[in-house]
Amino acid sequence: MNDKLVIGLAGMPGAGKSIVVSAAKEGGYGIVVMGDVVREETASRGLELNPQNVGKVMLELREQEGKSVIAKRCIPKIERIPENKILVDGIRSLAEVEEFRRHFPKFTLIAVHSSPETRFKRLYHRQRSDDSASWEVFHERDMRELSVGLGEAIAMAEHLIVNEEKYEVAKRKAKEVLRKVEQKWTK
Amino acid sequence: MNDKLVIGLAGMPGAGKSIVVSAAKEGGYGIVVMGDVVREETASRGLELNPQNVGKVMLELREQEGKSVIAKRCIPKIERIPENKILVDGIRSLAEVEEFRRHFPKFTLIAVHSSPETRFKRLYHRQRSDDSASWEVFHERDMRELSVGLGEAIAMAEHLIVNEEKYEVAKRKAKEVLRKVEQKWTK
Protein backbone atom coordinates (compact mmCIF):
# COMPACT_ATOMS: atom_id res chain seq x y z
CA MET A 1 0.00 0.00 0.00
CA ASN A 2 1.34 3.36 -0.94
CA ASP A 3 0.61 5.96 1.68
CA LYS A 4 1.25 9.10 -0.39
CA LEU A 5 -1.62 11.54 -0.71
CA VAL A 6 -2.13 11.84 -4.45
CA ILE A 7 -4.69 14.33 -5.74
CA GLY A 8 -5.75 14.35 -9.38
CA LEU A 9 -6.83 17.54 -11.12
CA ALA A 10 -9.25 17.69 -14.06
CA GLY A 11 -10.87 20.54 -15.96
CA MET A 12 -11.81 21.70 -19.43
CA PRO A 13 -9.38 24.03 -21.25
CA GLY A 14 -9.46 27.47 -19.64
CA ALA A 15 -11.37 26.34 -16.53
CA GLY A 16 -8.51 27.44 -14.27
CA LYS A 17 -6.63 24.29 -13.26
CA SER A 18 -3.51 26.42 -12.82
CA ILE A 19 -5.12 28.11 -9.80
CA VAL A 20 -5.29 24.74 -8.03
CA VAL A 21 -1.71 23.97 -9.08
CA SER A 22 -0.62 27.28 -7.60
CA ALA A 23 -2.50 26.65 -4.33
CA ALA A 24 -0.96 23.16 -4.13
CA LYS A 25 2.57 24.48 -4.69
CA GLU A 26 2.09 26.99 -1.88
CA GLY A 27 0.82 24.12 0.28
CA GLY A 28 4.04 22.14 -0.23
CA TYR A 29 2.74 19.67 -2.81
CA GLY A 30 4.94 18.07 -5.43
CA ILE A 31 3.42 18.58 -8.90
CA VAL A 32 3.30 15.98 -11.68
CA VAL A 33 2.08 17.20 -15.09
CA MET A 34 0.53 14.38 -17.12
CA GLY A 35 1.22 16.17 -20.42
CA ASP A 36 4.96 16.01 -19.66
CA VAL A 37 4.84 12.23 -20.17
CA VAL A 38 3.73 12.68 -23.78
CA ARG A 39 6.22 15.48 -24.41
CA GLU A 40 9.05 13.31 -23.03
CA GLU A 41 7.99 10.37 -25.21
CA THR A 42 7.85 12.66 -28.26
CA ALA A 43 11.35 13.97 -27.54
CA SER A 44 12.73 10.47 -26.88
CA ARG A 45 11.52 9.48 -30.36
CA GLY A 46 13.66 12.30 -31.80
CA LEU A 47 10.60 14.29 -32.91
CA GLU A 48 10.24 18.04 -32.73
CA LEU A 49 7.97 19.21 -29.90
CA ASN A 50 5.05 20.67 -31.85
CA PRO A 51 1.29 20.10 -31.31
CA GLN A 52 1.05 17.74 -34.31
CA ASN A 53 3.82 15.42 -33.13
CA VAL A 54 2.69 15.48 -29.50
CA GLY A 55 -0.90 14.72 -30.55
CA LYS A 56 0.25 11.87 -32.77
CA VAL A 57 2.48 10.32 -30.09
CA MET A 58 -0.40 10.63 -27.59
CA LEU A 59 -2.74 8.64 -29.85
CA GLU A 60 -0.04 6.05 -30.62
CA LEU A 61 0.72 5.59 -26.92
CA ARG A 62 -2.97 5.02 -26.16
CA GLU A 63 -3.32 2.54 -29.01
CA GLN A 64 -0.19 0.63 -28.03
CA GLU A 65 -0.52 0.62 -24.26
CA GLY A 66 -4.16 1.36 -23.49
CA LYS A 67 -6.31 4.17 -22.16
CA SER A 68 -4.45 4.58 -18.87
CA VAL A 69 -0.94 4.66 -20.38
CA ILE A 70 -0.23 8.23 -19.25
CA ALA A 71 -1.36 7.48 -15.69
CA LYS A 72 0.82 4.34 -15.63
CA ARG A 73 3.87 6.33 -16.69
CA CYS A 74 3.18 8.97 -14.04
CA ILE A 75 3.23 6.46 -11.20
CA PRO A 76 7.04 5.98 -11.00
CA LYS A 77 7.39 9.79 -11.21
CA ILE A 78 5.03 10.19 -8.24
CA GLU A 79 6.95 7.55 -6.29
CA ARG A 80 10.28 9.23 -6.96
CA ILE A 81 9.11 12.66 -5.80
CA PRO A 82 10.24 13.37 -2.21
CA GLU A 83 6.99 15.11 -1.19
CA ASN A 84 4.35 13.04 0.52
CA LYS A 85 1.54 15.12 -1.02
CA ILE A 86 1.35 15.23 -4.80
CA LEU A 87 -0.95 16.99 -7.24
CA VAL A 88 -1.30 15.30 -10.64
CA ASP A 89 -2.36 17.88 -13.21
CA GLY A 90 -4.28 16.83 -16.31
CA ILE A 91 -6.57 13.86 -15.52
CA ARG A 92 -8.61 13.09 -18.63
CA SER A 93 -10.62 9.94 -17.95
CA LEU A 94 -12.03 7.57 -15.35
CA ALA A 95 -9.59 4.91 -16.60
CA GLU A 96 -6.76 7.13 -15.34
CA VAL A 97 -8.56 7.72 -12.04
CA GLU A 98 -8.89 3.96 -11.54
CA GLU A 99 -5.23 3.40 -12.39
CA PHE A 100 -4.10 5.97 -9.81
CA ARG A 101 -6.53 4.63 -7.21
CA ARG A 102 -5.11 1.13 -7.58
CA HIS A 103 -1.66 2.44 -6.66
CA PHE A 104 -2.55 5.21 -4.24
CA PRO A 105 -5.58 4.27 -2.13
CA LYS A 106 -5.92 7.85 -0.90
CA PHE A 107 -6.28 9.15 -4.46
CA THR A 108 -8.83 11.96 -4.67
CA LEU A 109 -10.05 13.81 -7.74
CA ILE A 110 -10.59 17.57 -7.84
CA ALA A 111 -12.24 19.21 -10.84
CA VAL A 112 -12.49 22.86 -11.83
CA HIS A 113 -15.51 24.09 -13.79
CA SER A 114 -16.26 27.28 -15.69
CA SER A 115 -18.89 27.92 -18.34
CA PRO A 116 -17.84 27.57 -21.99
CA GLU A 117 -18.30 31.34 -22.42
CA THR A 118 -16.00 32.14 -19.49
CA ARG A 119 -13.38 29.65 -20.67
CA PHE A 120 -13.46 31.04 -24.19
CA LYS A 121 -12.97 34.59 -22.91
CA ARG A 122 -10.00 33.49 -20.80
CA LEU A 123 -8.28 31.57 -23.58
CA TYR A 124 -8.90 34.17 -26.29
CA HIS A 125 -9.11 37.22 -24.10
CA ARG A 126 -8.70 39.69 -26.89
CA GLN A 127 -11.50 38.14 -28.92
CA ARG A 128 -15.26 38.32 -28.57
CA SER A 129 -17.38 35.23 -28.29
CA ASP A 130 -19.09 36.13 -31.56
CA ASP A 131 -15.77 35.61 -33.37
CA SER A 132 -16.94 32.37 -34.97
CA ALA A 133 -13.52 31.25 -36.29
CA SER A 134 -11.92 31.29 -32.84
CA TRP A 135 -15.07 29.84 -31.28
CA GLU A 136 -14.85 26.92 -33.69
CA VAL A 137 -11.21 26.17 -32.80
CA PHE A 138 -12.14 26.41 -29.12
CA HIS A 139 -15.17 24.14 -29.54
CA GLU A 140 -13.18 21.51 -31.46
CA ARG A 141 -10.61 21.39 -28.68
CA ASP A 142 -13.43 20.96 -26.12
CA MET A 143 -14.88 18.08 -28.12
CA ARG A 144 -11.46 16.42 -28.41
CA GLU A 145 -10.99 16.64 -24.63
CA LEU A 146 -14.47 15.23 -24.02
CA SER A 147 -13.90 12.39 -26.50
CA VAL A 148 -11.21 10.83 -24.29
CA GLY A 149 -13.52 10.91 -21.25
CA LEU A 150 -12.83 14.23 -19.51
CA GLY A 151 -16.53 14.96 -18.93
CA GLU A 152 -16.98 11.67 -17.08
CA ALA A 153 -14.01 12.42 -14.84
CA ILE A 154 -15.42 15.88 -14.02
CA ALA A 155 -18.87 14.43 -13.25
CA MET A 156 -17.28 11.90 -10.86
CA ALA A 157 -14.91 14.29 -9.06
CA GLU A 158 -14.86 14.20 -5.26
CA HIS A 159 -14.50 17.99 -5.13
CA LEU A 160 -15.59 20.51 -7.69
CA ILE A 161 -14.47 24.13 -7.74
CA VAL A 162 -16.66 26.55 -9.68
CA ASN A 163 -14.42 29.27 -11.09
CA GLU A 164 -16.57 32.08 -12.43
CA GLU A 165 -15.44 34.91 -10.22
CA LYS A 166 -12.13 36.53 -9.38
CA TYR A 167 -8.82 34.66 -9.25
CA GLU A 168 -8.65 35.23 -5.48
CA VAL A 169 -12.05 33.58 -4.92
CA ALA A 170 -11.04 30.46 -6.84
CA LYS A 171 -7.66 30.39 -5.08
CA ARG A 172 -9.38 30.50 -1.69
CA LYS A 173 -11.77 27.70 -2.74
CA ALA A 174 -8.79 25.64 -3.97
CA LYS A 175 -6.96 26.02 -0.64
CA GLU A 176 -10.11 25.06 1.24
CA VAL A 177 -10.58 21.91 -0.87
CA LEU A 178 -6.94 20.88 -0.37
CA ARG A 179 -7.36 21.38 3.36
CA LYS A 180 -10.50 19.20 3.39
CA VAL A 181 -8.77 16.42 1.46
CA GLU A 182 -5.80 16.52 3.84
CA GLN A 183 -8.05 16.48 6.91
CA LYS A 184 -9.87 13.42 5.62
CA TRP A 185 -6.62 11.50 5.15
CA THR A 186 -4.63 12.55 8.20
CA LYS A 187 -7.36 11.57 10.65
CA MET B 1 -37.48 31.99 -33.58
CA ASN B 2 -38.99 30.77 -30.38
CA ASP B 3 -38.63 33.32 -27.63
CA LYS B 4 -39.35 31.09 -24.65
CA LEU B 5 -36.66 30.87 -22.00
CA VAL B 6 -35.87 27.16 -21.80
CA ILE B 7 -33.41 25.97 -19.15
CA GLY B 8 -32.07 22.42 -19.17
CA LEU B 9 -31.11 20.64 -15.97
CA ALA B 10 -28.49 17.89 -15.72
CA GLY B 11 -26.95 16.00 -12.83
CA MET B 12 -25.83 12.57 -11.72
CA PRO B 13 -28.29 10.47 -9.64
CA GLY B 14 -28.59 11.94 -6.16
CA ALA B 15 -26.85 15.23 -7.03
CA GLY B 16 -29.96 17.20 -6.07
CA LYS B 17 -31.66 18.22 -9.33
CA SER B 18 -34.96 18.34 -7.44
CA ILE B 19 -33.73 21.39 -5.53
CA VAL B 20 -33.44 23.31 -8.80
CA VAL B 21 -36.86 22.02 -9.90
CA SER B 22 -38.31 23.29 -6.63
CA ALA B 23 -36.65 26.71 -7.00
CA ALA B 24 -37.93 26.95 -10.59
CA LYS B 25 -41.50 26.06 -9.57
CA GLU B 26 -41.42 28.79 -6.94
CA GLY B 27 -40.14 31.17 -9.62
CA GLY B 28 -43.14 30.48 -11.87
CA TYR B 29 -41.46 28.10 -14.32
CA GLY B 30 -43.30 25.40 -16.19
CA ILE B 31 -41.57 22.03 -15.68
CA VAL B 32 -41.02 19.38 -18.35
CA VAL B 33 -39.64 16.03 -17.16
CA MET B 34 -37.72 14.25 -19.91
CA GLY B 35 -38.30 10.85 -18.31
CA ASP B 36 -42.06 11.32 -18.74
CA VAL B 37 -41.61 10.96 -22.52
CA VAL B 38 -40.27 7.44 -22.10
CA ARG B 39 -42.92 6.52 -19.54
CA GLU B 40 -45.65 7.78 -21.88
CA GLU B 41 -44.23 5.81 -24.81
CA THR B 42 -44.01 2.69 -22.61
CA ALA B 43 -47.65 3.09 -21.58
CA SER B 44 -48.80 3.79 -25.16
CA ARG B 45 -47.24 0.46 -26.17
CA GLY B 46 -49.45 -1.22 -23.59
CA LEU B 47 -46.50 -2.22 -21.41
CA GLU B 48 -46.45 -2.18 -17.63
CA LEU B 49 -44.51 0.76 -16.17
CA ASN B 50 -41.60 -1.04 -14.55
CA PRO B 51 -37.87 -0.22 -14.79
CA GLN B 52 -37.21 -3.09 -17.22
CA ASN B 53 -39.88 -2.00 -19.73
CA VAL B 54 -39.03 1.70 -19.44
CA GLY B 55 -35.32 0.93 -19.93
CA LYS B 56 -36.07 -1.23 -22.97
CA VAL B 57 -38.37 1.35 -24.58
CA MET B 58 -35.73 4.04 -23.95
CA LEU B 59 -33.07 2.04 -25.83
CA GLU B 60 -35.48 1.19 -28.66
CA LEU B 61 -36.49 4.83 -29.05
CA ARG B 62 -32.85 5.89 -29.28
CA GLU B 63 -32.09 3.17 -31.84
CA GLN B 64 -35.13 4.01 -33.96
CA GLU B 65 -35.07 7.80 -33.79
CA GLY B 66 -31.55 8.79 -32.75
CA LYS B 67 -29.75 10.17 -29.72
CA SER B 68 -31.87 13.29 -29.35
CA VAL B 69 -35.26 11.52 -29.60
CA ILE B 70 -36.33 12.44 -26.05
CA ALA B 71 -35.43 16.09 -26.60
CA LYS B 72 -37.36 16.11 -29.89
CA ARG B 73 -40.46 14.75 -28.20
CA CYS B 74 -40.19 17.33 -25.42
CA ILE B 75 -40.27 20.27 -27.84
CA PRO B 76 -44.03 20.22 -28.60
CA LYS B 77 -44.65 19.80 -24.84
CA ILE B 78 -42.58 22.92 -24.16
CA GLU B 79 -44.42 24.83 -26.87
CA ARG B 80 -47.81 23.83 -25.48
CA ILE B 81 -47.00 24.93 -21.93
CA PRO B 82 -48.45 28.39 -21.19
CA GLU B 83 -45.47 29.58 -19.15
CA ASN B 84 -42.81 31.57 -20.95
CA LYS B 85 -40.06 30.18 -18.71
CA ILE B 86 -39.57 26.41 -18.71
CA LEU B 87 -37.23 24.09 -16.86
CA VAL B 88 -36.48 20.80 -18.62
CA ASP B 89 -35.43 18.22 -16.06
CA GLY B 90 -33.19 15.31 -17.06
CA ILE B 91 -30.76 16.40 -19.81
CA ARG B 92 -28.41 13.49 -20.52
CA SER B 93 -26.24 14.45 -23.48
CA LEU B 94 -24.85 17.23 -25.64
CA ALA B 95 -26.98 15.92 -28.53
CA GLU B 96 -30.05 16.86 -26.50
CA VAL B 97 -28.58 20.26 -25.66
CA GLU B 98 -28.00 20.94 -29.36
CA GLU B 99 -31.52 19.84 -30.23
CA PHE B 100 -33.05 22.22 -27.67
CA ARG B 101 -30.73 25.04 -28.71
CA ARG B 102 -31.85 24.71 -32.34
CA HIS B 103 -35.46 25.32 -31.28
CA PHE B 104 -34.97 27.67 -28.36
CA PRO B 105 -32.07 30.05 -29.00
CA LYS B 106 -32.09 31.15 -25.35
CA PHE B 107 -31.56 27.57 -24.13
CA THR B 108 -29.21 27.46 -21.14
CA LEU B 109 -27.88 24.41 -19.30
CA ILE B 110 -27.63 24.20 -15.52
CA ALA B 111 -25.88 21.26 -13.86
CA VAL B 112 -25.83 20.13 -10.23
CA HIS B 113 -22.77 18.37 -8.83
CA SER B 114 -22.13 16.40 -5.67
CA SER B 115 -19.34 13.94 -4.91
CA PRO B 116 -20.08 10.24 -5.48
CA GLU B 117 -19.87 9.68 -1.71
CA THR B 118 -22.44 12.40 -0.99
CA ARG B 119 -24.77 11.13 -3.72
CA PHE B 120 -24.52 7.58 -2.44
CA LYS B 121 -25.37 8.66 1.09
CA ARG B 122 -28.41 10.58 -0.15
CA LEU B 123 -29.76 7.75 -2.29
CA TYR B 124 -29.12 5.01 0.26
CA HIS B 125 -29.32 7.07 3.41
CA ARG B 126 -29.63 4.15 5.74
CA GLN B 127 -26.60 2.40 4.32
CA ARG B 128 -22.90 3.01 4.81
CA SER B 129 -20.58 3.60 1.89
CA ASP B 130 -18.69 0.42 2.81
CA ASP B 131 -21.81 -1.60 1.96
CA SER B 132 -20.28 -2.96 -1.22
CA ALA B 133 -23.50 -4.49 -2.66
CA SER B 134 -25.38 -1.18 -2.63
CA TRP B 135 -22.26 0.67 -3.77
CA GLU B 136 -22.06 -1.64 -6.78
CA VAL B 137 -25.69 -0.99 -7.78
CA PHE B 138 -25.08 2.74 -7.35
CA HIS B 139 -21.87 2.65 -9.38
CA GLU B 140 -23.49 0.69 -12.22
CA ARG B 141 -26.27 3.27 -12.44
CA ASP B 142 -23.63 6.05 -12.55
CA MET B 143 -21.81 4.29 -15.39
CA ARG B 144 -25.07 3.81 -17.32
CA GLU B 145 -25.85 7.53 -17.01
CA LEU B 146 -22.33 8.46 -18.11
CA SER B 147 -22.48 6.07 -21.08
CA VAL B 148 -25.21 8.15 -22.77
CA GLY B 149 -23.16 11.34 -22.39
CA LEU B 150 -24.23 12.88 -19.08
CA GLY B 151 -20.66 13.71 -18.04
CA GLU B 152 -20.12 15.72 -21.21
CA ALA B 153 -23.30 17.70 -20.61
CA ILE B 154 -22.22 18.46 -17.03
CA ALA B 155 -18.75 19.56 -18.17
CA MET B 156 -20.31 21.92 -20.73
CA ALA B 157 -23.00 23.44 -18.48
CA GLU B 158 -23.34 27.22 -18.44
CA HIS B 159 -23.99 27.18 -14.69
CA LEU B 160 -22.90 24.61 -12.17
CA ILE B 161 -24.29 24.33 -8.66
CA VAL B 162 -22.14 22.45 -6.15
CA ASN B 163 -24.48 20.76 -3.67
CA GLU B 164 -22.43 19.48 -0.73
CA GLU B 165 -23.94 21.49 2.08
CA LYS B 166 -27.44 21.99 3.45
CA TYR B 167 -30.59 21.96 1.31
CA GLU B 168 -31.09 25.67 2.00
CA VAL B 169 -27.63 26.54 0.65
CA ALA B 170 -28.25 24.70 -2.61
CA LYS B 171 -31.73 26.19 -2.90
CA ARG B 172 -30.30 29.69 -2.52
CA LYS B 173 -27.64 28.94 -5.15
CA ALA B 174 -30.33 27.58 -7.50
CA LYS B 175 -32.44 30.74 -7.15
CA GLU B 176 -29.40 32.90 -7.78
CA VAL B 177 -28.53 30.96 -10.95
CA LEU B 178 -32.11 31.23 -12.25
CA ARG B 179 -32.01 34.97 -11.59
CA LYS B 180 -28.72 35.31 -13.51
CA VAL B 181 -30.08 33.38 -16.50
CA GLU B 182 -33.23 35.51 -16.55
CA GLN B 183 -31.23 38.74 -16.28
CA LYS B 184 -29.10 37.73 -19.25
CA TRP B 185 -32.12 37.09 -21.44
CA THR B 186 -34.41 39.92 -20.45
CA LYS B 187 -31.84 42.61 -21.09
Side-chain angles (χ1 to χ4, degrees), chain A residues 36-170:
Chain A
D36 284 352
V37 166
V38 189
R39 283 185 283 273
E40 284 159 15
E41 176 71 21
T42 308
S44 83
R45 292 184 185 189
L47 298 169
E48 197 195 322
L49 280 177
N50 59 42
Q52 286 71 32
N53 286 339
V54 173
K56 195 169 149 268
V57 168
M58 161 67 143
L59 291 176
E60 283 176 13
L61 272 176
R62 289 171 68 92
E63 269 169 37
Q64 290 157 4
E65 302 180 34
K67 283 193 290 185
S68 55
V69 53
I70 316 291
K72 281 194 178 114
R73 292 195 178 196
C74 283
I75 287 164
K77 283 176 174 246
I78 294 169
E79 283 169 342
R80 271 200 306 271
I81 277 187
E83 286 89 352
N84 211 29
K85 305 184 294 186
I86 288 114
L87 185 80
V88 183
D89 181 16
I91 301 281
R92 278 195 170 80
S93 72
L94 290 178
E96 292 173 342
V97 170
E98 281 161 25
E99 186 66 35
F100 282 124
R101 203 157 269 154
R102 262 196 293 278
H103 285 79
F104 307 103
K106 294 182 180 178
F107 184 85
T108 303
L109 183 62
I110 298 177
V112 187
H113 183 279
S114 306
S115 72
E117 195 181 337
T118 301
R119 295 189 290 104
F120 177 84
K121 281 183 187 153
R122 278 189 201 132
L123 292 173
Y124 301 85
H125 48 93
R126 283 193 209 84
Q127 275 134 318
R128 296 160 46 131
S129 59
D130 54 5
D131 172 349
S132 65
S134 314
W135 181 267
E136 206 171 298
V137 171
F138 167 73
H139 188 70
E140 268 172 24
R141 187 177 169 199
D142 271 6
M143 293 305 112
R144 209 160 46 233
E145 295 282 339
L146 291 176
S147 73
V148 295
L150 179 53
E152 293 160 21
I154 292 169
M156 295 293 280
E158 271 86 29
H159 296 273
L160 196 142
I161 296 164
V162 174
N163 175 25
E164 293 288 343
E165 296 163 273
K166 285 183 187 155
Y167 180 91
E168 291 72 28
V169 176

Side-chain angles (χ1 to χ4, degrees), chain B residues 2-169:
Chain B
N2 196 310
D3 206 43
K4 286 197 171 194
L5 173 57
V6 181
I7 298 179
L9 177 60
M12 296 290 289
K17 290 191 293 294
S18 64
I19 300 173
V20 183
V21 172
S22 165
K25 278 182 182 165
E26 290 175 19
Y29 281 71
I31 311 289
V32 170
V33 180
M34 294 185 77
D36 284 351
V37 166
V38 189
R39 283 185 284 272
E40 283 157 18
E41 176 70 21
T42 308
S44 83
R45 293 185 184 188
L47 298 169
E48 197 196 322
L49 281 178
N50 59 41
Q52 285 72 31
N53 286 340
V54 173
K56 194 169 150 268
V57 168
M58 160 69 144
L59 291 177
E60 282 175 14
L61 272 176
R62 290 171 67 92
E63 268 170 36
Q64 290 156 5
E65 302 180 32
K67 282 193 288 186
S68 54
V69 55
I70 315 291
K72 282 195 180 110
R73 292 195 177 198
C74 283
I75 287 164
K77 284 177 173 246
I78 295 169
E79 282 168 345
R80 272 200 305 272
I81 277 187
E83 286 90 350
N84 211 28
K85 305 183 296 184
I86 288 113
L87 185 80
V88 183
D89 181 15
I91 300 281
R92 279 195 170 80
S93 71
L94 290 179
E96 293 173 341
V97 171
E98 280 161 26
E99 186 66 33
F100 284 123
R101 203 157 271 155
R102 263 196 293 278
H103 285 78
F104 306 102
K106 294 181 180 178
F107 184 85
T108 302
L109 183 63
I110 298 177
V112 188
H113 183 278
S114 305
S115 71
E117 196 181 337
T118 300
R119 296 189 289 103
F120 177 84
K121 281 184 187 153
R122 280 190 199 131
L123 292 173
Y124 301 85
H125 47 93
R126 284 195 207 83
Q127 275 134 319
R128 296 161 45 132
S129 60
D130 54 5
D131 172 351
S132 65
S134 315
W135 182 266
E136 205 171 300
V137 171
F138 167 73
H139 187 70
E140 268 172 23
R141 186 175 168 202
D142 271 5
M143 293 305 111
R144 209 158 48 232
E145 295 282 339
L146 291 175
S147 72
V148 295
L150 179 53
E152 293 160 22
I154 292 168
M156 295 293 281
E158 271 85 28
H159 296 274
L160 197 142
I161 295 163
V162 173
N163 175 25
E164 293 289 345
E165 296 161 272
K166 286 182 187 155
Y167 180 90
E168 292 71 28
V169 176

